[in-house]
Amino acid sequence: MTEQDAGSRIGSRIRFFRKSKHITLQQLADRIHKSRATMCKYENGDISIDVNSLYDICCALNVPMNELIDMPLPEKEDPGDILPGHTDESPFFKSKRMYFYFYDGRYNHLKDGIINIGERDPKTGDYSCTLSICIVSPSGRTSELFYTGRVIYGEMLIRFSFINSCNTLEEALLYIFNPLELRDETVGLLCSISTADLVPCSFKCLLTLTPKEPTEDFRSKLLFTDAELKRMKKLNRLLVTNV
C-alpha cells in the first residue's frame, strides 16, 4: 500500500464516520480549526494528515484513532486473484481511485464524484468501495452524497453496487464497459430509483483515471446522441455503448 493509498483509506474512513454522525464538512473543519478546502483534501486523500490533526479529527468525531488508521498488511500477489486477460497495463483494474461524471437533465447540471476502492474481501473475492458525489441544487446550494458498496471485476464489465449512507433504501448500480481497453476514460451506465420522485432512472456517465475540466466538449460526451436516441426508440430499451 502506497502513501497515497493509505491517505485515501484514512480519508474515506473519516468521511464515513462524519456522514454516519450527520456532521457536515464545514462543521468538522470548524471543529479542528481548518478550512473546508483542507478538510475536503484530507477526505479525498489529496494531502497527508499530520498526527496532531488526525488526533483532533478523532476527538471531533468521537472515534478511536485505530478506527481510522487500522489497515491490513499488504498481501503477497496471488495468481488466483488475476482475472483472465488481466495484465499490468489494464488501468481500470489497477486504479484505486476513479473520477465519476454524469449530466443530470432534471437540473441541467453536470455532476461529478470520486470513487475510492478499498481492500479485497477474502471470502467473497470482491472489493469494498465508496462514492461521493457533489450536488448543486437549482438554488445554487452545494451538498454531498456519500455511498458505500462493493465492486466486482470482469473481463467485459466492472460492476459497482452502492447504498446511500444516509438513506439505505437508495441503491445504485454502476457498470463500466470494456475495462481492459487501454484508455484514460470509459463510458458507464448508472441505474437507480430516484428517491426524489420515486421513478427509475439511468444515466450515461464517464469514468476517468484523472480529473477532467467541465468543458463543453467533455459535457457533450455525457449526453445521448441523436443516433443513440434513434436506436433506443427502435429497440425500445436503453443502450449505452463504449465509445
Side-chain angles (χ1 to χ4, degrees), residues 4-5 8 86-99 114-118 127-129 151 153 158 160 176 179 183-184 207-211:
Q4 183 177 4
D5 291 338
S8 296
H86 173 208
T87 68
D88 290 339
E89 289 76 31
S90 303
F92 283 93
F93 281 84
K94 293 168 52 181
S95 179
K96 293 295 184 179
R97 170 172 292 181
M98 301 179 193
Y99 298 87
I114 295 177
I115 296 174
N116 286 311
I117 299 169
Y127 292 76
S128 63
C129 58
V151 55
Y153 294 86
I158 297 177
F160 295 86
I176 298 178
R183 57 174 67 194
D184 177 68
L207 284 300
T208 70
L209 301 177
T210 56

PDB file of all heavy atoms in Angstrom, residues 4-5 8 86-99 114-118 127-129 151 153 158 160 176 179 183-184 207-211:
ATOM      1  N   GLN A   4      -0.178   7.283  -0.820  1.00  0.00           N
ATOM      2  CA  GLN A   4      -1.424   7.851  -1.344  1.00  0.00           C
ATOM      3  C   GLN A   4      -2.601   6.932  -1.048  1.00  0.00           C
ATOM      4  O   GLN A   4      -3.686   7.389  -0.690  1.00  0.00           O
ATOM      5  CB  GLN A   4      -1.308   8.076  -2.854  1.00  0.00           C
ATOM      6  CG  GLN A   4      -2.562   8.733  -3.450  1.00  0.00           C
ATOM      7  CD  GLN A   4      -2.413   9.015  -4.939  1.00  0.00           C
ATOM      8  OE1 GLN A   4      -1.414   8.665  -5.541  1.00  0.00           O
ATOM      9  NE2 GLN A   4      -3.407   9.648  -5.511  1.00  0.00           N
ATOM     10  N   ASP A   5      -2.391   5.607  -1.177  1.00  0.00           N
ATOM     11  CA  ASP A   5      -3.454   4.649  -0.863  1.00  0.00           C
ATOM     12  C   ASP A   5      -3.856   4.757   0.605  1.00  0.00           C
ATOM     13  O   ASP A   5      -5.038   4.710   0.950  1.00  0.00           O
ATOM     14  CB  ASP A   5      -2.996   3.224  -1.166  1.00  0.00           C
ATOM     15  CG  ASP A   5      -2.824   2.964  -2.648  1.00  0.00           C
ATOM     16  OD1 ASP A   5      -3.442   3.697  -3.441  1.00  0.00           O
ATOM     17  OD2 ASP A   5      -2.062   2.050  -3.013  1.00  0.00           O
ATOM     18  N   SER A   8      -5.856   7.881   1.153  1.00  0.00           N
ATOM     19  CA  SER A   8      -7.212   7.738   0.623  1.00  0.00           C
ATOM     20  C   SER A   8      -8.071   6.889   1.556  1.00  0.00           C
ATOM     21  O   SER A   8      -9.253   7.183   1.771  1.00  0.00           O
ATOM     22  CB  SER A   8      -7.165   7.089  -0.769  1.00  0.00           C
ATOM     23  OG  SER A   8      -6.487   7.917  -1.689  1.00  0.00           O
ATOM     24  N   HIS A  86      -6.247 -10.254 -17.725  1.00  0.00           N
ATOM     25  CA  HIS A  86      -5.795  -9.096 -16.960  1.00  0.00           C
ATOM     26  C   HIS A  86      -4.284  -8.976 -17.056  1.00  0.00           C
ATOM     27  O   HIS A  86      -3.560  -9.913 -16.785  1.00  0.00           O
ATOM     28  CB  HIS A  86      -6.219  -9.256 -15.486  1.00  0.00           C
ATOM     29  CG  HIS A  86      -5.654  -8.189 -14.598  1.00  0.00           C
ATOM     30  ND1 HIS A  86      -5.407  -8.390 -13.274  1.00  0.00           N
ATOM     31  CD2 HIS A  86      -5.280  -6.909 -14.856  1.00  0.00           C
ATOM     32  CE1 HIS A  86      -4.908  -7.300 -12.728  1.00  0.00           C
ATOM     33  NE2 HIS A  86      -4.825  -6.381 -13.676  1.00  0.00           N
ATOM     34  N   THR A  87      -3.820  -7.803 -17.434  1.00  0.00           N
ATOM     35  CA  THR A  87      -2.388  -7.545 -17.492  1.00  0.00           C
ATOM     36  C   THR A  87      -2.099  -6.315 -16.660  1.00  0.00           C
ATOM     37  O   THR A  87      -2.994  -5.596 -16.231  1.00  0.00           O
ATOM     38  CB  THR A  87      -1.928  -7.287 -18.941  1.00  0.00           C
ATOM     39  OG1 THR A  87      -2.490  -6.045 -19.388  1.00  0.00           O
ATOM     40  CG2 THR A  87      -2.363  -8.403 -19.869  1.00  0.00           C
ATOM     41  N   ASP A  88      -0.825  -6.067 -16.426  1.00  0.00           N
ATOM     42  CA  ASP A  88      -0.432  -4.899 -15.652  1.00  0.00           C
ATOM     43  C   ASP A  88      -0.799  -3.598 -16.361  1.00  0.00           C
ATOM     44  O   ASP A  88      -0.760  -2.534 -15.767  1.00  0.00           O
ATOM     45  CB  ASP A  88       1.076  -4.926 -15.385  1.00  0.00           C
ATOM     46  CG  ASP A  88       1.462  -6.026 -14.402  1.00  0.00           C
ATOM     47  OD1 ASP A  88       0.569  -6.462 -13.655  1.00  0.00           O
ATOM     48  OD2 ASP A  88       2.625  -6.440 -14.390  1.00  0.00           O
ATOM     49  N   GLU A  89      -1.107  -3.687 -17.664  1.00  0.00           N
ATOM     50  CA  GLU A  89      -1.441  -2.487 -18.419  1.00  0.00           C
ATOM     51  C   GLU A  89      -2.933  -2.166 -18.368  1.00  0.00           C
ATOM     52  O   GLU A  89      -3.384  -1.232 -19.021  1.00  0.00           O
ATOM     53  CB  GLU A  89      -1.008  -2.642 -19.883  1.00  0.00           C
ATOM     54  CG  GLU A  89       0.494  -2.620 -20.109  1.00  0.00           C
ATOM     55  CD  GLU A  89       1.161  -3.925 -19.703  1.00  0.00           C
ATOM     56  OE1 GLU A  89       0.496  -4.970 -19.819  1.00  0.00           O
ATOM     57  OE2 GLU A  89       2.309  -3.894 -19.240  1.00  0.00           O
ATOM     58  N   SER A  90      -3.740  -2.932 -17.646  1.00  0.00           N
ATOM     59  CA  SER A  90      -5.174  -2.683 -17.579  1.00  0.00           C
ATOM     60  C   SER A  90      -5.457  -1.604 -16.538  1.00  0.00           C
ATOM     61  O   SER A  90      -5.524  -1.897 -15.344  1.00  0.00           O
ATOM     62  CB  SER A  90      -5.915  -3.971 -17.206  1.00  0.00           C
ATOM     63  OG  SER A  90      -5.627  -4.992 -18.128  1.00  0.00           O
ATOM     64  N   PRO A  91      -5.601  -0.351 -16.951  1.00  0.00           N
ATOM     65  CA  PRO A  91      -5.635   0.753 -15.979  1.00  0.00           C
ATOM     66  C   PRO A  91      -6.837   0.713 -15.048  1.00  0.00           C
ATOM     67  O   PRO A  91      -6.723   1.097 -13.882  1.00  0.00           O
ATOM     68  CB  PRO A  91      -5.657   2.002 -16.869  1.00  0.00           C
ATOM     69  CG  PRO A  91      -6.197   1.532 -18.182  1.00  0.00           C
ATOM     70  CD  PRO A  91      -5.713   0.129 -18.329  1.00  0.00           C
ATOM     71  N   PHE A  92      -7.996   0.271 -15.514  1.00  0.00           N
ATOM     72  CA  PHE A  92      -9.179   0.296 -14.667  1.00  0.00           C
ATOM     73  C   PHE A  92      -9.194  -0.862 -13.665  1.00  0.00           C
ATOM     74  O   PHE A  92     -10.030  -0.891 -12.772  1.00  0.00           O
ATOM     75  CB  PHE A  92     -10.452   0.294 -15.516  1.00  0.00           C
ATOM     76  CG  PHE A  92     -10.749   1.646 -16.112  1.00  0.00           C
ATOM     77  CD1 PHE A  92     -10.292   1.966 -17.376  1.00  0.00           C
ATOM     78  CD2 PHE A  92     -11.438   2.605 -15.397  1.00  0.00           C
ATOM     79  CE1 PHE A  92     -10.530   3.224 -17.928  1.00  0.00           C
ATOM     80  CE2 PHE A  92     -11.680   3.850 -15.925  1.00  0.00           C
ATOM     81  CZ  PHE A  92     -11.228   4.169 -17.202  1.00  0.00           C
ATOM     82  N   PHE A  93      -8.287  -1.826 -13.828  1.00  0.00           N
ATOM     83  CA  PHE A  93      -8.128  -2.872 -12.831  1.00  0.00           C
ATOM     84  C   PHE A  93      -7.127  -2.435 -11.757  1.00  0.00           C
ATOM     85  O   PHE A  93      -7.221  -2.838 -10.614  1.00  0.00           O
ATOM     86  CB  PHE A  93      -7.645  -4.171 -13.480  1.00  0.00           C
ATOM     87  CG  PHE A  93      -8.729  -4.935 -14.163  1.00  0.00           C
ATOM     88  CD1 PHE A  93      -9.097  -4.630 -15.461  1.00  0.00           C
ATOM     89  CD2 PHE A  93      -9.404  -5.961 -13.528  1.00  0.00           C
ATOM     90  CE1 PHE A  93     -10.095  -5.327 -16.108  1.00  0.00           C
ATOM     91  CE2 PHE A  93     -10.409  -6.664 -14.155  1.00  0.00           C
ATOM     92  CZ  PHE A  93     -10.754  -6.348 -15.457  1.00  0.00           C
ATOM     93  N   LYS A  94      -6.165  -1.621 -12.136  1.00  0.00           N
ATOM     94  CA  LYS A  94      -5.108  -1.215 -11.210  1.00  0.00           C
ATOM     95  C   LYS A  94      -5.528  -0.041 -10.332  1.00  0.00           C
ATOM     96  O   LYS A  94      -5.069   0.092  -9.199  1.00  0.00           O
ATOM     97  CB  LYS A  94      -3.854  -0.815 -11.996  1.00  0.00           C
ATOM     98  CG  LYS A  94      -3.188  -1.956 -12.732  1.00  0.00           C
ATOM     99  CD  LYS A  94      -2.137  -1.448 -13.706  1.00  0.00           C
ATOM    100  CE  LYS A  94      -1.153  -0.511 -13.051  1.00  0.00           C
ATOM    101  NZ  LYS A  94      -0.156   0.000 -13.996  1.00  0.00           N
ATOM    102  N   SER A  95      -6.389   0.818 -10.856  1.00  0.00           N
ATOM    103  CA  SER A  95      -6.671   2.084 -10.187  1.00  0.00           C
ATOM    104  C   SER A  95      -7.432   1.884  -8.881  1.00  0.00           C
ATOM    105  O   SER A  95      -8.399   1.121  -8.816  1.00  0.00           O
ATOM    106  CB  SER A  95      -7.474   2.994 -11.116  1.00  0.00           C
ATOM    107  OG  SER A  95      -7.773   4.209 -10.474  1.00  0.00           O
ATOM    108  N   LYS A  96      -6.992   2.586  -7.849  1.00  0.00           N
ATOM    109  CA  LYS A  96      -7.698   2.606  -6.570  1.00  0.00           C
ATOM    110  C   LYS A  96      -8.633   3.815  -6.463  1.00  0.00           C
ATOM    111  O   LYS A  96      -9.362   3.954  -5.488  1.00  0.00           O
ATOM    112  CB  LYS A  96      -6.689   2.653  -5.411  1.00  0.00           C
ATOM    113  CG  LYS A  96      -5.865   1.389  -5.266  1.00  0.00           C
ATOM    114  CD  LYS A  96      -6.728   0.198  -4.885  1.00  0.00           C
ATOM    115  CE  LYS A  96      -5.888  -1.033  -4.641  1.00  0.00           C
ATOM    116  NZ  LYS A  96      -6.716  -2.203  -4.255  1.00  0.00           N
ATOM    117  N   ARG A  97      -8.582   4.690  -7.465  1.00  0.00           N
ATOM    118  CA  ARG A  97      -9.455   5.861  -7.484  1.00  0.00           C
ATOM    119  C   ARG A  97      -9.896   6.144  -8.901  1.00  0.00           C
ATOM    120  O   ARG A  97      -9.107   6.083  -9.835  1.00  0.00           O
ATOM    121  CB  ARG A  97      -8.759   7.089  -6.900  1.00  0.00           C
ATOM    122  CG  ARG A  97      -9.534   8.394  -7.119  1.00  0.00           C
ATOM    123  CD  ARG A  97      -8.936   9.556  -6.380  1.00  0.00           C
ATOM    124  NE  ARG A  97      -9.084   9.384  -4.945  1.00  0.00           N
ATOM    125  CZ  ARG A  97      -8.655  10.271  -4.053  1.00  0.00           C
ATOM    126  NH1 ARG A  97      -8.019  11.356  -4.447  1.00  0.00           N
ATOM    127  NH2 ARG A  97      -8.841  10.063  -2.769  1.00  0.00           N
ATOM    128  N   MET A  98     -11.182   6.439  -9.077  1.00  0.00           N
ATOM    129  CA  MET A  98     -11.732   6.825 -10.367  1.00  0.00           C
ATOM    130  C   MET A  98     -12.566   8.082 -10.179  1.00  0.00           C
ATOM    131  O   MET A  98     -13.136   8.301  -9.103  1.00  0.00           O
ATOM    132  CB  MET A  98     -12.608   5.709 -10.948  1.00  0.00           C
ATOM    133  CG  MET A  98     -11.889   4.391 -11.162  1.00  0.00           C
ATOM    134  SD  MET A  98     -13.012   3.123 -11.813  1.00  0.00           S
ATOM    135  CE  MET A  98     -12.004   1.651 -11.566  1.00  0.00           C
ATOM    136  N   TYR A  99     -12.634   8.882 -11.224  1.00  0.00           N
ATOM    137  CA  TYR A  99     -13.427  10.102 -11.198  1.00  0.00           C
ATOM    138  C   TYR A  99     -14.688   9.870 -12.023  1.00  0.00           C
ATOM    139  O   TYR A  99     -14.636   9.322 -13.131  1.00  0.00           O
ATOM    140  CB  TYR A  99     -12.602  11.276 -11.730  1.00  0.00           C
ATOM    141  CG  TYR A  99     -11.384  11.529 -10.877  1.00  0.00           C
ATOM    142  CD1 TYR A  99     -10.183  10.853 -11.114  1.00  0.00           C
ATOM    143  CD2 TYR A  99     -11.433  12.406  -9.796  1.00  0.00           C
ATOM    144  CE1 TYR A  99      -9.068  11.061 -10.306  1.00  0.00           C
ATOM    145  CE2 TYR A  99     -10.322  12.624  -8.987  1.00  0.00           C
ATOM    146  CZ  TYR A  99      -9.146  11.947  -9.257  1.00  0.00           C
ATOM    147  OH  TYR A  99      -8.054  12.140  -8.459  1.00  0.00           O
ATOM    148  N   ILE A 114     -16.162  11.052  -6.827  1.00  0.00           N
ATOM    149  CA  ILE A 114     -14.923  10.293  -6.704  1.00  0.00           C
ATOM    150  C   ILE A 114     -15.244   8.906  -6.161  1.00  0.00           C
ATOM    151  O   ILE A 114     -15.985   8.772  -5.180  1.00  0.00           O
ATOM    152  CB  ILE A 114     -13.920  11.000  -5.771  1.00  0.00           C
ATOM    153  CG1 ILE A 114     -13.473  12.337  -6.379  1.00  0.00           C
ATOM    154  CG2 ILE A 114     -12.699  10.120  -5.515  1.00  0.00           C
ATOM    155  CD1 ILE A 114     -12.544  13.136  -5.485  1.00  0.00           C
ATOM    156  N   ILE A 115     -14.706   7.886  -6.810  1.00  0.00           N
ATOM    157  CA  ILE A 115     -14.836   6.508  -6.346  1.00  0.00           C
ATOM    158  C   ILE A 115     -13.496   6.074  -5.770  1.00  0.00           C
ATOM    159  O   ILE A 115     -12.469   6.167  -6.452  1.00  0.00           O
ATOM    160  CB  ILE A 115     -15.236   5.565  -7.493  1.00  0.00           C
ATOM    161  CG1 ILE A 115     -16.621   5.933  -8.037  1.00  0.00           C
ATOM    162  CG2 ILE A 115     -15.228   4.109  -7.024  1.00  0.00           C
ATOM    163  CD1 ILE A 115     -17.024   5.136  -9.261  1.00  0.00           C
ATOM    164  N   ASN A 116     -13.501   5.630  -4.532  1.00  0.00           N
ATOM    165  CA  ASN A 116     -12.313   5.066  -3.908  1.00  0.00           C
ATOM    166  C   ASN A 116     -12.534   3.572  -3.685  1.00  0.00           C
ATOM    167  O   ASN A 116     -13.596   3.166  -3.193  1.00  0.00           O
ATOM    168  CB  ASN A 116     -12.014   5.753  -2.570  1.00  0.00           C
ATOM    169  CG  ASN A 116     -11.446   7.149  -2.756  1.00  0.00           C
ATOM    170  OD1 ASN A 116     -10.511   7.344  -3.527  1.00  0.00           O
ATOM    171  ND2 ASN A 116     -12.011   8.128  -2.068  1.00  0.00           N
ATOM    172  N   ILE A 117     -11.552   2.776  -4.058  1.00  0.00           N
ATOM    173  CA  ILE A 117     -11.668   1.325  -3.971  1.00  0.00           C
ATOM    174  C   ILE A 117     -10.776   0.820  -2.850  1.00  0.00           C
ATOM    175  O   ILE A 117      -9.596   1.152  -2.776  1.00  0.00           O
ATOM    176  CB  ILE A 117     -11.291   0.675  -5.316  1.00  0.00           C
ATOM    177  CG1 ILE A 117     -12.250   1.180  -6.402  1.00  0.00           C
ATOM    178  CG2 ILE A 117     -11.345  -0.853  -5.218  1.00  0.00           C
ATOM    179  CD1 ILE A 117     -11.847   0.823  -7.797  1.00  0.00           C
ATOM    180  N   GLY A 118     -11.362   0.009  -1.965  1.00  0.00           N
ATOM    181  CA  GLY A 118     -10.661  -0.461  -0.784  1.00  0.00           C
ATOM    182  C   GLY A 118     -10.053  -1.841  -0.948  1.00  0.00           C
ATOM    183  O   GLY A 118      -9.614  -2.228  -2.039  1.00  0.00           O
ATOM    184  N   TYR A 127     -14.401  -6.292  -3.764  1.00  0.00           N
ATOM    185  CA  TYR A 127     -13.698  -5.216  -3.078  1.00  0.00           C
ATOM    186  C   TYR A 127     -14.696  -4.212  -2.507  1.00  0.00           C
ATOM    187  O   TYR A 127     -15.765  -3.987  -3.088  1.00  0.00           O
ATOM    188  CB  TYR A 127     -12.760  -4.484  -4.039  1.00  0.00           C
ATOM    189  CG  TYR A 127     -11.582  -5.313  -4.504  1.00  0.00           C
ATOM    190  CD1 TYR A 127     -11.735  -6.310  -5.455  1.00  0.00           C
ATOM    191  CD2 TYR A 127     -10.302  -5.090  -3.996  1.00  0.00           C
ATOM    192  CE1 TYR A 127     -10.651  -7.077  -5.890  1.00  0.00           C
ATOM    193  CE2 TYR A 127      -9.222  -5.840  -4.416  1.00  0.00           C
ATOM    194  CZ  TYR A 127      -9.406  -6.829  -5.365  1.00  0.00           C
ATOM    195  OH  TYR A 127      -8.338  -7.580  -5.787  1.00  0.00           O
ATOM    196  N   SER A 128     -14.333  -3.590  -1.398  1.00  0.00           N
ATOM    197  CA  SER A 128     -15.151  -2.506  -0.860  1.00  0.00           C
ATOM    198  C   SER A 128     -14.885  -1.231  -1.660  1.00  0.00           C
ATOM    199  O   SER A 128     -13.833  -1.082  -2.287  1.00  0.00           O
ATOM    200  CB  SER A 128     -14.824  -2.268   0.622  1.00  0.00           C
ATOM    201  OG  SER A 128     -13.470  -1.863   0.763  1.00  0.00           O
ATOM    202  N   CYS A 129     -15.836  -0.317  -1.654  1.00  0.00           N
ATOM    203  CA  CYS A 129     -15.658   0.940  -2.385  1.00  0.00           C
ATOM    204  C   CYS A 129     -16.571   2.006  -1.798  1.00  0.00           C
ATOM    205  O   CYS A 129     -17.544   1.698  -1.100  1.00  0.00           O
ATOM    206  CB  CYS A 129     -15.937   0.757  -3.878  1.00  0.00           C
ATOM    207  SG  CYS A 129     -17.599   0.145  -4.244  1.00  0.00           S
ATOM    208  N   VAL A 151     -17.463  -3.787  -5.283  1.00  0.00           N
ATOM    209  CA  VAL A 151     -17.162  -3.786  -6.715  1.00  0.00           C
ATOM    210  C   VAL A 151     -16.671  -5.170  -7.116  1.00  0.00           C
ATOM    211  O   VAL A 151     -15.921  -5.815  -6.379  1.00  0.00           O
ATOM    212  CB  VAL A 151     -16.124  -2.694  -7.076  1.00  0.00           C
ATOM    213  CG1 VAL A 151     -14.860  -2.842  -6.241  1.00  0.00           C
ATOM    214  CG2 VAL A 151     -15.762  -2.753  -8.553  1.00  0.00           C
ATOM    215  N   TYR A 153     -15.003  -7.310 -10.500  1.00  0.00           N
ATOM    216  CA  TYR A 153     -14.309  -7.123 -11.762  1.00  0.00           C
ATOM    217  C   TYR A 153     -14.563  -8.295 -12.706  1.00  0.00           C
ATOM    218  O   TYR A 153     -14.541  -9.457 -12.299  1.00  0.00           O
ATOM    219  CB  TYR A 153     -12.797  -7.004 -11.530  1.00  0.00           C
ATOM    220  CG  TYR A 153     -12.392  -5.772 -10.766  1.00  0.00           C
ATOM    221  CD1 TYR A 153     -12.378  -5.755  -9.374  1.00  0.00           C
ATOM    222  CD2 TYR A 153     -12.030  -4.614 -11.442  1.00  0.00           C
ATOM    223  CE1 TYR A 153     -12.011  -4.614  -8.671  1.00  0.00           C
ATOM    224  CE2 TYR A 153     -11.659  -3.475 -10.746  1.00  0.00           C
ATOM    225  CZ  TYR A 153     -11.648  -3.483  -9.364  1.00  0.00           C
ATOM    226  OH  TYR A 153     -11.289  -2.350  -8.671  1.00  0.00           O
ATOM    227  N   ILE A 158     -17.085  -4.008 -15.236  1.00  0.00           N
ATOM    228  CA  ILE A 158     -16.829  -3.817 -13.816  1.00  0.00           C
ATOM    229  C   ILE A 158     -18.152  -3.330 -13.234  1.00  0.00           C
ATOM    230  O   ILE A 158     -18.758  -2.392 -13.762  1.00  0.00           O
ATOM    231  CB  ILE A 158     -15.721  -2.785 -13.554  1.00  0.00           C
ATOM    232  CG1 ILE A 158     -14.385  -3.266 -14.128  1.00  0.00           C
ATOM    233  CG2 ILE A 158     -15.567  -2.545 -12.051  1.00  0.00           C
ATOM    234  CD1 ILE A 158     -13.249  -2.260 -13.966  1.00  0.00           C
ATOM    235  N   PHE A 160     -20.261  -1.933  -9.913  1.00  0.00           N
ATOM    236  CA  PHE A 160     -20.306  -1.367  -8.577  1.00  0.00           C
ATOM    237  C   PHE A 160     -21.750  -1.429  -8.066  1.00  0.00           C
ATOM    238  O   PHE A 160     -22.688  -1.158  -8.829  1.00  0.00           O
ATOM    239  CB  PHE A 160     -19.879   0.104  -8.588  1.00  0.00           C
ATOM    240  CG  PHE A 160     -18.444   0.337  -8.973  1.00  0.00           C
ATOM    241  CD1 PHE A 160     -18.074   0.441 -10.310  1.00  0.00           C
ATOM    242  CD2 PHE A 160     -17.465   0.482  -8.001  1.00  0.00           C
ATOM    243  CE1 PHE A 160     -16.750   0.673 -10.670  1.00  0.00           C
ATOM    244  CE2 PHE A 160     -16.140   0.720  -8.348  1.00  0.00           C
ATOM    245  CZ  PHE A 160     -15.783   0.811  -9.691  1.00  0.00           C
ATOM    246  N   ILE A 176     -19.167  -0.362 -15.732  1.00  0.00           N
ATOM    247  CA  ILE A 176     -18.126   0.134 -16.630  1.00  0.00           C
ATOM    248  C   ILE A 176     -17.946  -0.889 -17.727  1.00  0.00           C
ATOM    249  O   ILE A 176     -17.794  -2.085 -17.454  1.00  0.00           O
ATOM    250  CB  ILE A 176     -16.785   0.337 -15.892  1.00  0.00           C
ATOM    251  CG1 ILE A 176     -16.924   1.391 -14.794  1.00  0.00           C
ATOM    252  CG2 ILE A 176     -15.689   0.751 -16.862  1.00  0.00           C
ATOM    253  CD1 ILE A 176     -15.654   1.610 -14.000  1.00  0.00           C
ATOM    254  N   PRO A 179     -13.424  -2.711 -19.604  1.00  0.00           N
ATOM    255  CA  PRO A 179     -12.383  -2.094 -18.771  1.00  0.00           C
ATOM    256  C   PRO A 179     -10.960  -2.486 -19.148  1.00  0.00           C
ATOM    257  O   PRO A 179     -10.013  -1.856 -18.700  1.00  0.00           O
ATOM    258  CB  PRO A 179     -12.725  -2.613 -17.365  1.00  0.00           C
ATOM    259  CG  PRO A 179     -13.425  -3.916 -17.615  1.00  0.00           C
ATOM    260  CD  PRO A 179     -14.211  -3.709 -18.875  1.00  0.00           C
ATOM    261  N   ARG A 183      -7.108   2.980 -21.959  1.00  0.00           N
ATOM    262  CA  ARG A 183      -7.605   4.342 -22.133  1.00  0.00           C
ATOM    263  C   ARG A 183      -7.708   5.021 -20.774  1.00  0.00           C
ATOM    264  O   ARG A 183      -7.714   4.364 -19.730  1.00  0.00           O
ATOM    265  CB  ARG A 183      -8.969   4.340 -22.833  1.00  0.00           C
ATOM    266  CG  ARG A 183     -10.024   3.505 -22.101  1.00  0.00           C
ATOM    267  CD  ARG A 183     -11.383   3.638 -22.749  1.00  0.00           C
ATOM    268  NE  ARG A 183     -11.403   3.046 -24.074  1.00  0.00           N
ATOM    269  CZ  ARG A 183     -12.378   3.259 -24.970  1.00  0.00           C
ATOM    270  NH1 ARG A 183     -13.366   4.064 -24.668  1.00  0.00           N
ATOM    271  NH2 ARG A 183     -12.341   2.682 -26.139  1.00  0.00           N
ATOM    272  N   ASP A 184      -7.805   6.336 -20.804  1.00  0.00           N
ATOM    273  CA  ASP A 184      -7.901   7.105 -19.564  1.00  0.00           C
ATOM    274  C   ASP A 184      -9.347   7.286 -19.127  1.00  0.00           C
ATOM    275  O   ASP A 184      -9.616   7.565 -17.966  1.00  0.00           O
ATOM    276  CB  ASP A 184      -7.243   8.479 -19.751  1.00  0.00           C
ATOM    277  CG  ASP A 184      -7.387   9.356 -18.520  1.00  0.00           C
ATOM    278  OD1 ASP A 184      -6.764   9.011 -17.502  1.00  0.00           O
ATOM    279  OD2 ASP A 184      -8.138  10.346 -18.568  1.00  0.00           O
ATOM    280  N   LEU A 207     -16.268   7.439 -16.608  1.00  0.00           N
ATOM    281  CA  LEU A 207     -15.326   7.135 -15.540  1.00  0.00           C
ATOM    282  C   LEU A 207     -13.939   7.439 -16.063  1.00  0.00           C
ATOM    283  O   LEU A 207     -13.570   6.983 -17.148  1.00  0.00           O
ATOM    284  CB  LEU A 207     -15.410   5.667 -15.137  1.00  0.00           C
ATOM    285  CG  LEU A 207     -16.580   5.181 -14.282  1.00  0.00           C
ATOM    286  CD1 LEU A 207     -16.615   5.906 -12.953  1.00  0.00           C
ATOM    287  CD2 LEU A 207     -17.902   5.293 -15.005  1.00  0.00           C
ATOM    288  N   THR A 208     -13.174   8.225 -15.328  1.00  0.00           N
ATOM    289  CA  THR A 208     -11.841   8.621 -15.777  1.00  0.00           C
ATOM    290  C   THR A 208     -10.825   8.308 -14.684  1.00  0.00           C
ATOM    291  O   THR A 208     -11.165   8.181 -13.503  1.00  0.00           O
ATOM    292  CB  THR A 208     -11.782  10.122 -16.123  1.00  0.00           C
ATOM    293  OG1 THR A 208     -11.872  10.890 -14.923  1.00  0.00           O
ATOM    294  CG2 THR A 208     -12.916  10.508 -17.062  1.00  0.00           C
ATOM    295  N   LEU A 209      -9.572   8.195 -15.096  1.00  0.00           N
ATOM    296  CA  LEU A 209      -8.492   7.923 -14.149  1.00  0.00           C
ATOM    297  C   LEU A 209      -7.821   9.192 -13.657  1.00  0.00           C
ATOM    298  O   LEU A 209      -7.066   9.165 -12.689  1.00  0.00           O
ATOM    299  CB  LEU A 209      -7.449   7.004 -14.800  1.00  0.00           C
ATOM    300  CG  LEU A 209      -7.993   5.649 -15.289  1.00  0.00           C
ATOM    301  CD1 LEU A 209      -6.893   4.861 -15.972  1.00  0.00           C
ATOM    302  CD2 LEU A 209      -8.575   4.851 -14.138  1.00  0.00           C
ATOM    303  N   THR A 210      -8.094  10.305 -14.329  1.00  0.00           N
ATOM    304  CA  THR A 210      -7.577  11.613 -13.913  1.00  0.00           C
ATOM    305  C   THR A 210      -8.722  12.621 -13.947  1.00  0.00           C
ATOM    306  O   THR A 210      -9.666  12.459 -14.731  1.00  0.00           O
ATOM    307  CB  THR A 210      -6.442  12.088 -14.846  1.00  0.00           C
ATOM    308  OG1 THR A 210      -6.921  12.105 -16.204  1.00  0.00           O
ATOM    309  CG2 THR A 210      -5.241  11.155 -14.747  1.00  0.00           C
ATOM    310  N   PRO A 211      -8.688  13.645 -13.102  1.00  0.00           N
ATOM    311  CA  PRO A 211      -9.771  14.649 -13.093  1.00  0.00           C
ATOM    312  C   PRO A 211      -9.876  15.354 -14.444  1.00  0.00           C
ATOM    313  O   PRO A 211      -8.884  15.567 -15.134  1.00  0.00           O
ATOM    314  CB  PRO A 211      -9.333  15.623 -11.984  1.00  0.00           C
ATOM    315  CG  PRO A 211      -8.339  14.876 -11.169  1.00  0.00           C
ATOM    316  CD  PRO A 211      -7.652  13.926 -12.088  1.00  0.00           C
TER     317      PRO A 211
END
